[in-house]
Amino acid sequence: MPRTARDVVFVDGVRTPFGKAGPKGLYAETRADDMIVSVIRELLRRNPALPPERIGEVAVAATTQTGDQGLTIGRSAAILAGLPKSVPGYAIDRMCAGAMTAVTTTAGSIALGATDVAVAGGVEHMGHHPMGSGVDPNPRFVAERLVDPSALSMGATAENLHDRFPAITRARADAYALASQRKVAAAYAAGQIQPDLVPVAIRSAEAGYTGSMGWGLATADEPPRPDTTIEALAGLKTPFRPHGRVTAGNSAGLNDGATGCVIAAQDVAAELGLDARMRLIDFSFAGVDPEVMGIGPVPATEAVLARNDLTIDDIGLIEVNEAFAVQVLAFLDHFKIADDDPRVNPWGGAIALGHPLASSGVRLMIQLAREFAERPAVRYGLTTMCVGLGMGGTVLWENLHA
């Protein structure tokens, strides 16, 4: 039977404040599944017009699917959040693009008509599950030269990107990182980020982030360093290569956090009285050489633009994940975009806010939706990111406030 694809819209998104991974971080004694449960419950609280039984799927991404991020976390989180047992769920892994893939995958089922409404997001507790923990890479990757050995270290791939594009200097990467910190500080001062943060109860058995033992409340992102200076950035060590160019200051940190959003068929959102904020037009995932995985957003974006007969000049807002400054700058240089173009990450990015791997894709969408509301003259926006093992992902959105 012939079918017509339905339009899919982004209704709402929320996230936990992001924390620093480690024994003194915000979420050192908080379970990963409890973090995503907090997000799901907040989405339901903020959208009372959405009957929980209308949710047709809960897709939750995690890069390390074990421990408190295992047990098919989409399904287990749905049960823990109190959704009807009739609501199914599943887990997704596309490394850093996990939450982005959770959105595009559920959007496909909505467009086909198999599902009307979905909750999609991601969680990463890098304090409990350090990147690569428990992984056993097949020796054939290196023995048969399927990839360069540096492909298995994200920091090393960023140094490789500096090698490929020598115009992207350490000084330029540091300047970009400083700008990200300043933009996040300005966005916080303007109250632009806080509306989509879910307060999370946190416990500390010893004096740590909260300053005392006992219970506290996480209400703001922990990673930003608003007092960062260019001199301090210039003095940081280069852990991935002697005399290299990648530092902790011009890269995203190791973080804990969870994100989630409600997406729906546009006609169903209208039927239920849900406020649709942006429409998903198209998406693309692309593969690149794993040893320069940071270039992944370029072919993914080119594919989306070409299919929709658009150029980068038609895009009024670009939310690009700042895994490394060099990766963002390579993307900007390819599309001939200035380092300080106001379309790009106007409220800052992951260098300041943090990058809890699989959760970050939906953070980009949350910020883009808010920025769309403030800029009704902008019609199109992108969310884009590089992905480990040599991939990139891009989603094209249309502003429904335009």
Side-chain angles (χ1 to χ4, degrees):
M1 179 181 295
R3 294 188 178 185
T4 300
R6 301 188 296 178
D7 286 334
V8 179
V9 295
F10 182 99
V11 172
D12 196 10
V14 298
R15 66 178 179 89
T16 67
F18 288 169
K20 295 179 181 179
K24 292 188 177 180
L26 275 178
Y27 302 114
E29 298 186 39
T30 302
R31 290 180 59 95
D33 47 14
D34 284 338
M35 293 163 67
I36 192 65
V37 165
S38 295
V39 165
I40 295 171
R41 286 176 172 168
E42 179 66 6
L43 287 170
L44 294 173
R45 187 195 69 79
R46 287 174 33 146
N47 296 277
L50 173 60
E53 65 273 11
R54 289 295 298 271
I55 298 172
E57 200 72 87
V58 176
V60 177
T63 301
T64 307
Q65 295 190 13
T66 187
D68 56 352
Q69 292 180 180
L71 198 60
T72 313
I73 192 165
R75 172 60 172 170
S76 58
I79 294 172
L80 290 166
L83 291 179
K85 302 297 193 302
S86 58
V87 177
Y90 59 101
I92 280 183
D93 174 17
R94 201 199 293 262
M95 295 191 175
C96 302
M100 177 178 281
T101 305
V103 170
T104 58
T105 301
T106 52
S109 67
I110 291 171
L112 185 64
T115 302
D116 286 339
V117 182
V119 170
V123 63
E124 206 73 52
H125 200 307
M126 300 182 75
H128 292 177
H129 311 286
M131 184 163 49
S133 62
V135 172
D136 179 19
N138 194 304
R140 291 181 51 236
F141 276 120
V142 175
E144 297 181 15
R145 299 183 181 180
L146 300 176
V147 299
D148 186 89
S150 63
L152 302 179
S153 166
M154 295 305 98
T157 68
E159 289 285 10
N160 292 342
L161 209 55
H162 272 291
D163 293 342
R164 180 172 289 194
F165 302 108
I168 306 176
T169 61
R170 159 87 181 264
R172 190 174 159 202
D174 285 349
Y176 181 88
L178 179 63
S180 182
Q181 294 283 358
R182 289 178 172 172
K183 287 191 283 188
V184 165
Y188 255 101
Q192 293 167 311
I193 291 176
Q194 298 92 320
D196 295 317
L197 298 182
V198 184
V200 178
I202 53 175
R203 181 182 179 276
S204 176
E206 59 183 57
Y209 176 81
T210 61
S212 62
M213 295 183 290
W215 289 92
L217 195 65
T219 59
D221 294 303
E222 185 180 14
R225 295 181 177 271
D227 57 348
T228 298
T229 65
I230 201 69
E231 292 77 17
L233 290 171
L236 294 175
K237 296 179 180 179
T238 59
F240 304 106
R241 181 188 296 179
H243 310 294
R245 290 144 294 187
V246 179
T247 72
N250 59 34
S251 311
L254 304 178
N255 306 106
D256 309 327
T259 64
C261 65
V262 174
I263 62 171
Q266 189 165 13
D267 59 339
V268 173
E271 169 204 334
L272 296 175
L274 299 172
D275 181 25
R277 298 161 70 183
M278 54 187 188
R279 183 171 68 93
L280 196 161
I281 297 176
D282 198 0
F283 64 88
S284 177
F285 293 94
V288 297
D289 291 339
E291 55 268 25
V292 284
M293 66 95 191
I295 203 67
V298 169
T301 299
E302 286 182 325
V304 163
L305 295 176
R307 279 201 300 267
N308 293 277
D309 197 24
L310 297 171
T311 71
I312 202 69
D313 293 334
D314 295 311
I315 308 301
L317 284 165
I318 302 170
E319 279 292 324
V320 54
N321 192 48
E322 297 171 353
F324 301 95
V326 62
Q327 159 253 315
V328 180
L329 293 170
F331 175 88
L332 299 182
D333 282 0
H334 177 85
F335 288 106
K336 297 180 172 56
I337 300 171
D339 294 5
D340 59 353
D341 191 305
R343 295 178 296 168
V344 180
N345 294 4
W347 297 353
I351 288 173
L353 290 169
H355 174 31
L357 301 184
S359 70
S360 287
V362 165
R363 181 193 65 77
L364 302 176
M365 298 171 193
I366 291 169
Q367 287 196 194
L368 180 62
R370 285 282 176 187
E371 292 156 2
F372 269 160
E374 290 192 357
R375 303 188 189 189
V378 171
R379 182 175 181 186
Y380 297 116
L382 292 177
T383 54
T384 187
M385 62 198 312
C386 61
V387 190
L389 282 184
M391 293 181 284
T394 298
V395 186
L396 174 63
W397 300 90
E398 182 179 21
N399 187 1
L400 293 179
H401 301 277

